[in-house]
Amino acid sequence: MSEPAAGPRLSDRQRLSWLRLIRTQNVGPASFRDLINRFGSAEVALEILPELMISGGASRIARIPSIAEAEAELEAARKAGARFVGIGEPDYPSLLRTMDNPPPLLAVKGNAAVFRLPGVAIVGARNASLAGIKMARKLAADLGGDGYGIISGLARGIDTAAHQGSLATGTVGVLAGGLDLPYPPENAGLCEEIAARGAIISEMPFGWQPRAQDFPRRNRLVAGAALGLVVVEAAQRSGSLISARLAGEMGRLVFAVPGSPLDPRAAGCNGLLKDGATLVTEASDISRAIAPLTGMRAPDVPPFEDPPDFSATPPPGESDRARVTEALGPTPVSVDEVIRHTGLHPAQVFMVLLELDLAGRLERHAGGNVSLVFGDG
């Protein structure tokens, strides 16, 4: 599991520009991709950002991180024994590329060869029972022995047990904050053990203390990096059920371990089973269902920063921007519907949406749908 993967890699200059771009306020994975596709490189996109924000109606121009700030974060990664991996590089987790709007850059510490194992995510309650912890550890160990990589979110309880059970065979820990700030703090030692044999990853900046809203983002990566997601214990309202919903939306298989109806920690799993999740009592229940998917091929990623030709399409004018904005509201709609309704060229509609996004006025939803931020318009 230690041979380096071959393939194209970002230059140091490109990596620096990519980091500055993705760390800019209002630039998320979707707008990052659109900027690269439209302007050909992160370096050019950084120059044009203020103009785009003004066109989108921003009340103020978002601050763009300086070169010195980006270099400082790259240096922090090096000191921590980590690196930033771009989406088109061979060390990027291949299944993440199949998500809607995958993170363009990931901080990675450890052996990226673990990403080439077919992945299974195991998640569950933080206040897990001893039986749940034992089950998670056994599932992880048995699946690891069958050649699967185990992915989880390094939380207390079930996540910790899943990582511990698969340390010897390959596990990936996904952090909600910076790689240098493991959460919970008592799992700092486990993080180091994982990085020594598998890998830990994060899309957040170094020095970032995780907030409540960062954990669903983390859950999205846990679900996206795996072929299937197993919930061992979960209450009715829990982050594990968010992970299961995200996994289902991404087309991943969803599994659940049944539990006693008298235990609140089993209510979420039992509910998933009622909704069609695959019942799990042993690792073979998972491997049998996932085996046909292990030959899945990740989508090709275009060469880095190869600019398309938009010269044949005139840029949107003020009337075009008004038509697109008027077509949007608080209810999510597909971009295709906006194109049909406005009659504008798709490139013009995408450009207006990008401007609105960079101005903080657009919200992106699953399936590529968009809406205006509540109260805008």
Side-chain angles (χ1 to χ4, degrees):
M1 198 174 73
S2 59
E3 294 180 7
R9 299 184 185 273
L10 290 167
S11 68
D12 291 344
R13 181 169 177 169
Q14 286 174 322
R15 203 177 308 277
L16 185 68
S17 295
W18 277 39
L19 186 57
R20 291 180 66 205
L21 185 58
I22 195 58
R23 295 291 186 248
T24 300
Q25 184 183 3
N26 294 338
V27 176
S31 49
F32 181 99
R33 178 203 61 215
D34 292 345
L35 285 164
I36 297 292
N37 288 343
R38 178 64 181 87
F39 298 105
S41 75
E43 199 167 346
V44 174
L46 287 165
E47 294 176 3
I48 203 73
L49 268 180
E51 180 183 330
L52 296 176
M53 292 175 184
I54 292 171
S55 296
S59 56
R60 64 179 181 84
I61 304 303
R63 183 177 171 277
I64 300 171
S66 67
I67 291 175
E69 287 170 322
E71 287 176 337
E73 188 173 357
L74 289 170
E75 180 60 23
R78 281 191 288 270
K79 287 182 177 178
R83 60 200 184 280
F84 285 97
V85 178
I87 188 171
E89 297 188 288
D91 287 348
Y92 192 93
S94 58
L95 271 174
L96 284 185
R97 296 175 189 160
T98 69
M99 292 170 46
D100 278 347
N101 306 319
L105 272 182
L106 278 178
V108 176
K109 182 176 181 179
N111 185 354
V114 70
F115 303 141
R116 299 199 288 274
L117 298 175
V120 176
I122 299 178
V123 300
R126 289 176 171 83
N127 63 331
S129 67
L130 289 176
I133 288 172
K134 182 178 179 181
M135 182 65 170
R137 191 176 288 126
K138 178 169 174 51
L139 287 175
D142 291 349
L143 287 167
D146 288 341
Y148 291 90
I150 302 303
I151 300 141
S152 199
L154 276 162
R156 300 179 181 98
I158 297 300
D159 289 21
T160 294
H163 289 306
Q164 291 170 337
S166 53
L167 273 175
T169 54
T171 185
V172 178
V174 187
L175 277 72
L179 282 193
D180 55 339
L181 291 176
Y183 185 87
E186 62 261 32
N187 272 351
L190 178 60
C191 273
E192 291 304 315
E193 288 187 85
I194 293 172
R197 309 183 193 191
I200 57 173
I201 65 174
S202 174
E203 64 177 321
M204 305 306 288
F206 273 74
W208 187 270
Q209 189 72 44
R211 309 159 299 171
Q213 59 264 44
D214 296 323
F215 290 96
R217 291 183 63 168
R218 184 272 316 269
N219 295 349
R220 167 177 159 267
L221 297 189
V222 170
L227 291 165
L229 180 136
V230 187
V231 184
V232 176
E233 285 184 339
Q236 280 287 13
R237 300 178 185 275
S238 67
S240 299
L241 296 189
I242 294 175
S243 299
R245 175 178 58 79
L246 293 170
E249 290 175 354
M250 295 178 200
R252 288 9 179 196
L253 298 180
V254 177
F255 305 86
V257 175
S260 168
L262 301 178
D263 187 346
R265 290 170 295 196
C269 289
N270 292 340
L272 288 173
L273 292 169
K274 290 178 182 178
D275 291 337
T278 300
L279 187 145
V280 170
T281 59
E282 57 187 8
S284 61
D285 297 326
I286 302 163
S287 56
R288 273 198 303 267
I290 286 184
L293 306 178
T294 55
M296 286 174 61
R297 181 174 178 271
D300 292 330
V301 176
F304 295 126
E305 306 190 348
D306 184 17
D309 182 13
F310 283 88
S311 59
T313 306
E318 287 306 314
S319 63
D320 301 327
R321 292 186 178 93
R323 287 161 71 183
V324 172
T325 304
E326 288 168 4
L328 296 171
T331 302
V333 295
S334 73
V335 177
D336 286 344
E337 287 181 270
V338 178
I339 293 169
R340 285 195 297 270
H341 178 77
T342 60
L344 296 172
H345 190 282
Q348 294 173 311
V349 171
F350 277 107
M351 192 64 193
V352 176
L353 296 177
L354 176 58
E355 292 170 351
L356 291 171
D357 196 2
L358 295 172
R361 300 175 61 198
L362 190 78
E363 187 169 356
R364 297 183 185 266
H365 304 270
N369 293 339
V370 295
S371 68
L372 279 184
V373 171
F374 183 76
D376 205 324

